[in-house]
Amino acid sequence: MRTTAVRRTALAASAAALTLLVTACGGSSDADAKDGKDDKGAAGGSSSAPKTPAKALTAAELEKATLAQGDVKDRKVTKAGPADEVPADGVTVDKKECLPVAHAMYGVAQEGSVATTKRKVIDEPKKTDGKKSLEDLADGEAEDALKDAFNLTSTSVALTSYEGTAGPDAFAALKKAAADCAGGFTATVAGTPTKVASVAEEKVTGGDESAAWTVTSEDDGDQAPFKLVALRKEGTVATFFAFNLAAAGGDVKFEVPAEVVAAQDEKLA
């Protein structure tokens, strides 16, 4: 039956992406105390640093500014835990200029950070009438049902406050790295390499400045798209790394998680 084929295809297409997703939610645990505007999403490396360096938000202030359950419609918001942690020295790249991109993917704070909070934001499953099981559906209905089941976006959000100009500097470094590494690189975390085939610019708005990219991973010829977003408000930088299972199989068009970005931007305002 075609239902089985659809399931196998979707799972095979997403296998490489899932490997990256497991650690993509990583970074320091919640409230880890150690750790002018330009064109939105522009690929250049310059950053509009504030005329007067902003005072870094404390861990308590950052916690209040971080997304919570109810802030994003139809999404479940949870805290990332200690098991999700990816230390800065646990991420390596084959091209040193690409390290800021790898750090952003894994939610690693940059030099000058004061505090970091982490959240996982996941789409709530679409409600169904529950009258039919998958086996009872016709082929076309089964394909649509499976597509809907996989069409859920998971977004890792890291919010970091920085001292002085460290926030604008971190944002600028990420933009430059994304432009320099458009042709791809390989990132290794906990001994597991992940090949990034390309980093392509996307559009996004928000904060004092913001930028977004589609990061395409590749494994055994299978490619999977991720969305990486960075948003800076004064001395605080938010990074978002999102994945959609259905998009890995090419079944849906995967967009930047604009509602999640907008909700975080609003809490930083």
Side-chain angles (χ1 to χ4, degrees):
M1 186 171 172
R2 290 182 66 193
T3 300
T4 302
V6 170
R7 184 187 294 110
R8 287 175 178 171
T9 300
L11 290 175
S14 63
L18 282 173
T19 300
L20 183 56
L21 180 64
V22 170
T23 49
C25 295
S28 52
S29 58
D30 237 66
D32 179 357
K34 181 235 173 227
D35 294 320
K37 299 184 179 179
D38 58 1
D39 290 339
K40 304 299 184 184
S46 61
S47 176
S48 300
K51 293 180 180 179
T52 303
K55 182 180 181 296
L57 297 181
T58 64
E61 291 170 333
L62 196 68
E63 182 66 27
K64 290 181 180 179
T66 300
L67 290 176
Q69 180 62 30
D71 287 339
V72 193
K73 184 180 179 182
D74 298 327
R75 270 84 166 183
K76 181 179 181 180
V77 181
T78 60
K79 292 184 178 182
D84 298 311
E85 181 156 356
V86 177
D89 59 5
V91 181
T92 60
V93 291
D94 62 338
K95 300 176 182 178
K96 64 179 181 180
E97 64 271 23
C98 303
L99 189 58
V101 178
H103 278 169
M105 288 164 57
Y106 296 104
V108 176
Q110 302 304 293
E111 185 177 354
S113 65
V114 173
T116 298
T117 58
K118 299 290 180 67
R119 294 293 187 271
K120 298 177 185 180
V121 183
I122 303 174
D123 289 356
E124 296 281 9
K126 295 180 177 64
K127 294 182 179 180
T128 62
D129 57 19
K131 293 180 180 179
K132 289 184 178 181
S133 67
L134 190 61
E135 289 72 18
D136 294 332
L137 297 175
D139 285 351
E141 292 178 316
E143 287 189 55
D144 290 340
L146 282 170
K147 185 184 297 185
D148 288 341
F150 286 134
N151 189 16
L152 300 174
T153 297
S154 176
T155 305
S156 301
V157 184
L159 194 62
T160 303
S161 60
Y162 290 91
E163 285 283 8
T165 62
D169 289 346
F171 184 90
L174 175 56
K175 287 179 66 179
K176 183 178 188 305
D180 291 345
C181 300
F185 62 96
T186 297
T188 300
V189 178
T192 302
T194 295
K195 180 181 178 181
V196 173
S198 63
V199 181
E201 183 184 358
E202 291 274 4
K203 292 184 178 180
V204 71
T205 60
D208 293 331
E209 53 185 346
S210 54
W213 307 269
T214 293
V215 177
T216 302
S217 71
E218 184 175 312
D219 182 27
D220 250 4
D222 292 325
Q223 292 192 339
F226 292 77
K227 300 298 182 180
L228 175 63
V229 181
L231 178 148
R232 181 185 67 80
K233 180 65 176 179
E234 297 183 346
T236 301
V237 177
T239 56
F240 309 77
F241 196 51
F243 169 65
N244 182 290
L245 195 59
D251 292 326
V252 300
K253 186 176 181 181
F254 182 27
E255 305 287 355
V256 168
E259 292 183 8
V260 179
V261 175
Q264 182 58 84
D265 186 23
E266 184 177 352
K267 293 201 75 171
L268 284 170

